[in-house]
């Protein structure tokens, strides 16, 4: 740890200069944010009313591209299917910083009483489903469009370039398709120009819990270092021998074998891994059999693994394979097991975090900023933050007197009031990053 402390102290020297510069633009940012917010809230309502699933964000990306073009940005569309990137080049020399907003909705039927609630339908895994912005990505788009509006009004005094990334399919892609942040990176979104840092924000619309009231409108929270887990999905098939249920001695019963496997998997977390290091292994699907009096030929299992550390990930995968192997062998069954490492760990770069946390505190007030423990949810922002230093934080979006059912639920609620605050915070972060003294 000594190296990290040194870096933070070295940075602290430049903070007074930085905060003087920053405070001088805080007032103008706040009034500009308030000026553009009503239009952005209208955008938010439009997007919320017509949410689109991953890789199908056609109308949303069109709205985004049109707004960015009107502001005079260089706009690229069709990146990773529906992704949009706008480049705002300041008149003064300086670095490049990227900001990212995700655009997709979820296969959830909205059950709020919002006047702009969604009644739209979409197709998910071949079925017709309700579609809703049940994770608040509509706010992310509206806020980032607002940041683009405010900063484009400051172009003459802007030292550097801002890359506005509007990303499809954060929540995942339809089966058999590629997409999201990974695909944007593969398509070279960071190759020209290459940003020096990437910033991301998520609204927090969770119900109040014991951990803290981070969801309260205007609160900001972040986690230095590993902030969100990696996600690896896995699929297994246990093959036995089918028989009539009345003659189990003629079978190799995959249901019994799968049951043993599920219980044995619980010992990886409890017996094989250091209890001080967090991880999750969940079996989400166990599927087998067609009739009460038939022993089936096979059972399918699926689940997810969450970790903050590659070594832990490797241990879990190795132990899973050993457990599947040992138990199926002893029962004379066979198995297949596949892992799909879909999201890396989201890491907040320590230097960048130390550099930007004071901005958060200045803009929303020190008492409204909290460092929170890492969470076992995953974010594909990690693909961007694997390329260049990243900073990702949460912004509370539930005002007193309002209730949210939580992310991904039919009664998820996030308030319009997050729009002007989000614009102020993100614009402040971008300007402080670009204006900081450089070595
Ligand atoms: Zn989500
Ligand atoms: Zn989300």
């Amino acid at each position: 740890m000594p190296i990290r402390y040194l870096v933070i102290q070295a940075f602290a020297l430049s903070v007074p200069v930085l905060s003087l510069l920053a405070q001088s633009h805080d007032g103008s940012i706040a009034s500009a944010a308030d000026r553009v917010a009503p239009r952005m809230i209208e955008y938010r309502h439009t997007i919320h009313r017509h949410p689109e699933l991953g890789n199908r964000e056609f109308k949303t990306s069109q709205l985004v591209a049109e707004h960015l073009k009107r502001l005079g940005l260089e706009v690229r569309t069709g990146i990773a299917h529906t992704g949009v990137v706008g480049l705002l080049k300041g008149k003064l020399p300086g670095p490049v910083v990227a900001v990212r907003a995700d655009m997709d909705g979820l296969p959830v039927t909205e059950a709020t009483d919002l006047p702009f609630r969604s009644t739209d339908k979409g197709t998910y895994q071949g079925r017709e489903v309700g579609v809703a912005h049940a994770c608040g990505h509509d706010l992310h788009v509206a806020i980032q469009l607002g940041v683009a509006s405010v900063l484009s009004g400051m172009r003459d005094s802007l030292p550097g370039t801002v890359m506005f990334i509007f990303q499809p399919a954060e929540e995942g892609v339809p089966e058999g398709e590629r997409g999201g942040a990974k695909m944007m990176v593969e398509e070279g979104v960071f190759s020209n120009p290459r940003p020096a840092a990437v910033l991301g924000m998520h609204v927090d619309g969770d119900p109040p819990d014991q951990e803290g009231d981070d969801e309260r409108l205007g609160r900001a929270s972040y986690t230095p270092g590993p902030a969100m887990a990696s996600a690896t999905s896995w699929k297994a098939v246990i093959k036995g021998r089918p028989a009539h249920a009345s003659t189990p001695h003629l079978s190799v019963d995959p249901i019994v074998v799968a049951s043993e496997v599920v219980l044995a998997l619980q010992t990886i977390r409890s017996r094989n891994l250091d209890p001080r290091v967090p991880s999750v292994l969940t079996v989400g699907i166990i599927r087998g059999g067609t009739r009460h009096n038939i022993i089936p030929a096979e059972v399918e299992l699926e689940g997810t693994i969450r970790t903050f550390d590659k070594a832990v990930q490797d241990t879990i995968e190795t132990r899973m394979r050993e457990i599947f192997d040992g138990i199926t062998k002893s029962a004379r069954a066979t198995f297949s097991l596949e892992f799909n490492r879909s999201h890396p760990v989201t890491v907040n770069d320590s230097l960048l975090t130390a550099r930007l946390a004071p901005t958060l505190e200045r803009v929303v007030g020190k008492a409204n900023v909290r460092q929170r423990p890492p969470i076992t949810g995953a974010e594909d922002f990690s693909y961007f933050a694997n390329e260049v230093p990243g900073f990702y934080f949460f912004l509370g979006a539930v005002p007193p007197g309002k209730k949210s059912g939580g992310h991904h639920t039919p009664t998820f609620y996030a308030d319009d009031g997050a729009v002007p605050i989000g614009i102020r915070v993100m614009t402040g972060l971008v300007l402080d990053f670009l204006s900081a003294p450089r070595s």
Side-chain angles (χ1 to χ4, degrees):
M1 296 303 269
I3 291 173
R4 187 166 147 204
Y5 278 21
L6 260 181
V7 169
I8 291 170
Q9 275 173 8
F11 172 72
L13 295 176
S14 63
V15 164
V17 184
L18 174 61
S19 63
L20 268 181
L21 268 171
Q23 275 157 19
S24 67
H25 56 229
D26 278 352
S28 48
I29 293 172
S31 51
D34 288 346
R35 211 167 43 244
V36 304
R39 180 79 188 105
M40 300 309 131
I41 289 171
E42 281 174 28
Y43 280 150
R44 190 253 165 146
H45 293 179
T46 303
I47 297 165
H48 191 96
R49 195 173 268 138
H50 301 298
E52 296 172 297
L53 292 171
N55 281 359
R56 305 287 183 270
E57 304 90 339
F58 304 114
K59 284 179 283 183
T60 310
S61 61
Q62 191 183 345
L63 181 151
V64 164
E66 281 170 6
H67 181 78
L68 299 179
K69 282 178 189 160
R70 266 199 301 278
L71 296 174
L73 271 61
E74 278 179 42
V75 179
R76 286 163 59 204
T77 58
I79 306 169
H81 305 297
T82 57
V84 181
V85 173
L87 272 190
L88 173 64
K89 291 183 174 160
K91 293 274 165 67
L92 302 177
V96 181
V97 64
V99 289
R100 172 275 206 164
D102 39 13
M103 303 191 286
D104 51 330
L106 284 158
V108 168
T109 302
E110 184 164 356
T112 70
D113 54 7
L114 292 173
F116 52 91
R117 71 179 165 276
S118 161
T119 54
D120 283 8
K121 302 265 187 251
T123 305
Y124 181 69
Q125 293 182 343
R127 289 194 315 271
E128 192 186 58
V129 289
V131 185
H133 267 295
C135 202
H137 300 183
D138 52 334
L139 280 161
H140 302 170
V141 174
I143 288 168
Q144 194 159 292
L145 289 174
V147 176
S149 291
V150 171
L151 288 173
S152 67
M154 300 176 162
R155 197 184 301 232
D156 289 346
S157 57
L158 188 69
T161 296
V162 189
M163 176 186 284
F164 294 92
I165 299 172
F166 290 87
Q167 182 212 303
E170 191 282 325
E171 302 284 5
V173 292
E175 208 158 302
E177 294 183 23
R178 296 164 60 238
K182 183 168 192 258
M183 190 170 172
M184 289 191 99
V185 169
E186 285 166 0
E187 291 192 359
V189 69
F190 278 176
S191 56
N192 183 29
R194 187 164 182 86
V198 60
L199 313 180
M201 183 211 71
H202 206 298
V203 291
D204 186 337
D206 272 331
D209 58 22
Q210 293 87 3
E211 271 195 37
D213 42 10
D214 298 331
E215 76 292 340
R216 184 128 36 101
L217 182 65
R219 296 254 163 123
S221 55
Y222 67 95
T223 310
M228 297 179 84
S230 67
T232 297
S233 61
W234 58 269
K235 257 184 188 181
V237 180
I238 293 175
K239 287 193 164 64
R241 189 166 58 238
H244 194 287
S246 64
T247 56
H249 57 293
L250 302 179
S251 78
V252 172
D253 187 341
I255 288 188
V256 174
V257 178
S259 306
E260 274 187 63
V261 166
V262 170
L263 290 178
L265 292 179
Q266 311 310 311
T267 63
I268 299 178
R269 176 81 183 92
S270 69
R271 300 295 93 178
N272 301 138
L273 291 167
D274 185 333
R276 297 165 298 179
V277 181
S279 64
V280 176
L281 166 54
T282 290
V283 182
I285 294 177
I286 172 160
R287 193 189 292 125
T290 50
R291 212 184 130 79
H292 70 280
N293 60 358
I294 299 174
I295 292 171
E298 59 181 42
V299 168
E300 295 165 12
L301 299 151
E302 290 184 38
T304 187
I305 301 166
R306 305 296 166 105
T307 69
F308 296 90
D309 184 317
K310 195 174 163 298
V312 174
Q313 179 72 35
D314 291 343
T315 304
I316 292 175
E317 290 183 16
T318 304
R319 285 297 296 139
M320 282 182 72
R321 203 166 280 289
E322 287 167 356
I323 286 170
F324 270 91
D325 189 50
I327 292 177
T328 53
K329 255 192 197 129
S330 77
R332 297 178 180 169
T334 58
F335 77 101
S336 63
L337 175 61
E338 280 166 34
F339 297 98
N340 172 23
R341 294 188 179 193
S342 60
H343 289 38
V345 182
T346 303
V347 180
N348 277 326
D349 180 79
S350 56
L351 179 58
L352 184 66
T353 305
R355 186 170 160 180
L356 292 178
T359 306
L360 274 187
E361 292 176 354
R362 204 182 64 239
V363 178
V364 300
K366 200 169 177 154
N368 289 321
V369 179
R370 187 175 86 102
Q371 284 194 17
R372 63 199 255 167
I375 60 173
T376 47
E379 238 295 350
D380 75 351
F381 179 78
S382 49
Y383 285 103
F384 296 125
N386 266 3
E387 294 291 310
V388 299
F391 179 60
Y392 184 90
F393 64 98
F394 294 90
L395 184 69
V398 188
K402 294 284 185 185
K403 274 210 177 83
S404 171
H407 289 262
H408 294 204
T409 73
T411 52
F412 172 78
Y413 178 83
D415 200 83
D416 285 344
V419 171
I421 302 171
I423 296 172
R424 282 209 299 274
V425 172
M426 207 37 128
T427 307
L429 291 170
V430 166
L431 279 178
D432 283 4
F433 182 86
L434 294 180
S435 329
R438 283 176 296 280
S439 48

